[in-house]
Amino acid sequence: MEPIANNRKNLLEVRNLQKQYGSNGKTNVIFEDLNLTIYENEFVAILGHSGSGKSTLLRMIAGLEHIDGGHLSIEGKDITGPGKERMMIFQNYALLPWLSVYDNIKLAVDEVMSEASEKEKKAHIKEHIAMVHLEDATHKKPSELSGGMKQRVGIARALAVQPLLLLMDEPLGALDPFTRAKLQDQILELYYERHQTIMLVTHDVEEALLMADRIIVLKVDEVASIGKVIDVPFEHPRDRKKLRESPQFNELRNETLSLMESYFEQMQTNNKKMEVSQFI
Ligand code: ADP
Ligand code: MG
């Protein structure tokens, strides 16, 4: 049987992607030849340990970082910079501290709905505030909000722009486990309601398995590459309690953890070899 993803429309294409950073005449090659397709309406997690290139990949897709070779396209159009069809949610929220929740979202809405009337924009902003259940905080400033609430503003702001692809770089990393679980469920609800295509970067195996349809596991040898692609076999909507009790979930979690451990050890061995080679 063909994997379901093969019957879907390609949304994002990453082809022969190269990326390097350079300083003081030394170059650090991150990606040499990365290939990846994201399909419409799927929820993909990019899983990898720290330094495996997750943020770099997401920033290039967002158009916030230039590429050194290959190409990136969305709906067949080359990505050459930021665009409203790709919105990014950052771990540190990136809200403007002097603006209220409403005005932080309005800033993004004004940018993309320049043709709409003030009344239409107001309705659109309110709809998105309600979507993340922040009605009571509409006129509050970021400093008056908890971390979870700030991240909900970030999500509302990104979705108000109605992107084709939502990019999330460890959006829940700074939150306590309970707030984190609650927000995971809210993001899944948005995914069901809007059929939003999502790329979520995380180093948390359980988070990836609870949320994603497909997990791309990055590994680093000399450079970063895709070590494994996991098709997550659990039906949506997902019940975290039931999943945690299921043997299949536990087996997949343990397998994935072992895989990441082996990638981590491999990276450390390579780093040691590189350090030694500097002296001989
Ligand atoms: P991750 O998000 O998986 O932790 P990153 O994409 O942040 O990984 O980093 C991948 C590699 O690229 C690391 O070795 C990091 O040191 C390097 N790197 C990331 N950003 C920069 C930068 N702006 N300048 C130089 N090197 C960078
Ligand atoms: Mg990162």
Side-chain angles (χ1 to χ4, degrees):
M1 206 176 80
E2 287 282 295
I4 295 166
N6 281 357
N7 303 326
R8 292 199 189 161
K9 213 172 121 198
N10 292 9
L11 180 64
L12 176 85
E13 293 181 333
V14 177
R15 296 287 174 264
N16 312 113
L17 185 68
Q18 290 175 32
K19 176 68 189 171
Q20 60 197 44
Y21 290 111
S23 61
N24 305 331
K26 273 207 323 210
T27 49
N28 181 10
V29 179
I30 311 295
F31 295 108
E32 209 164 52
D33 185 19
L34 190 78
N35 289 283
L36 173 66
T37 302
I38 305 293
Y39 303 95
E40 219 169 46
N41 303 343
E42 72 168 340
F43 194 144
V44 175
I46 308 287
L47 182 65
H49 45 69
S50 186
S52 59
K54 305 181 298 295
S55 296
T56 301
L57 176 61
L58 222 63
R59 284 204 306 268
M60 290 189 286
I61 295 169
L64 299 171
E65 183 87 63
H66 89 275
I67 66 175
D68 294 300
H71 61 265
L72 293 166
S73 64
I74 186 158
E75 283 196 320
K77 287 180 283 271
D78 275 352
I79 293 173
T80 54
K84 64 180 178 189
E85 74 287 350
R86 291 157 284 130
M87 287 307 290
M88 179 107 150
I89 294 174
F90 301 91
Q91 184 176 2
N92 62 1
Y93 322 119
L95 302 175
L96 295 177
W98 59 89
L99 293 181
S100 66
V101 167
Y102 184 93
D103 288 332
N104 262 288
I105 299 173
K106 186 170 190 301
L107 205 63
V109 168
D110 282 342
E111 189 82 13
V112 293
M113 291 179 68
S114 50
E115 309 281 291
S117 69
E118 283 304 312
K119 202 175 153 200
E120 282 169 321
K121 286 196 268 190
K122 190 171 173 183
H124 187 74
I125 296 163
K126 287 200 151 179
E127 179 198 326
H128 283 82
I129 290 175
M131 189 184 76
V132 292
H133 315 294
L134 280 177
E135 292 94 328
D136 292 346
T138 302
H139 301 294
K140 290 193 172 153
K141 301 267 169 65
S143 60
E144 298 172 80
L145 308 177
S146 67
M149 290 164 91
K150 280 188 239 184
Q151 199 50 292
R152 274 146 63 196
V153 181
I155 293 168
R157 179 181 56 184
L159 289 180
V161 174
Q162 298 183 297
L164 295 174
L165 179 61
L166 185 63
L167 304 165
M168 299 202 254
D169 192 359
E170 306 205 30
L172 312 179
L175 306 175
D176 70 78
F178 303 105
T179 310
R180 186 174 182 142
K182 207 164 167 208
L183 262 178
Q184 284 171 347
D185 288 344
Q186 285 190 1
I187 292 168
L188 280 170
E189 266 166 40
L190 299 173
Y191 171 59
Y192 304 144
E193 279 167 23
R194 299 201 163 209
H195 308 288
Q196 178 71 53
T197 313
I198 299 177
M199 277 180 91
L200 170 84
V201 157
T202 183
H203 58 249
D204 185 329
V205 171
E206 194 161 291
E207 180 164 276
L209 282 172
L210 280 172
M211 300 182 82
D213 300 320
R214 207 152 60 100
I215 303 176
I216 314 273
V217 191
L218 293 182
K219 67 168 180 178
V220 186
D221 291 320
E222 303 276 300
V223 299
S225 63
I226 295 172
K228 190 169 183 187
V229 179
I230 302 168
D231 284 310
V232 184
F234 312 118
E235 296 276 309
H236 287 289
R238 296 196 183 146
D239 178 330
R240 69 178 58 246
K241 235 177 159 178
K242 276 200 188 131
L243 274 181
R244 279 208 192 107
E245 285 160 10
S246 95
Q248 199 188 5
F249 180 85
N250 282 303
E251 201 174 303
L252 197 51
R253 191 192 59 188
N254 292 341
E255 260 175 40
T256 313
L257 279 170
S258 302
L259 183 75
M260 289 194 53
E261 270 162 19
S262 73
Y263 289 166
F264 190 66
E265 278 164 22
Q266 212 170 329
M267 188 183 78
Q268 286 193 316
T269 314
N270 283 337
N271 283 350
K272 278 207 192 95
K273 270 194 218 150
M274 274 159 66
E275 278 166 29
V276 172
S277 71
Q278 288 178 355
F279 298 101
I280 52 179

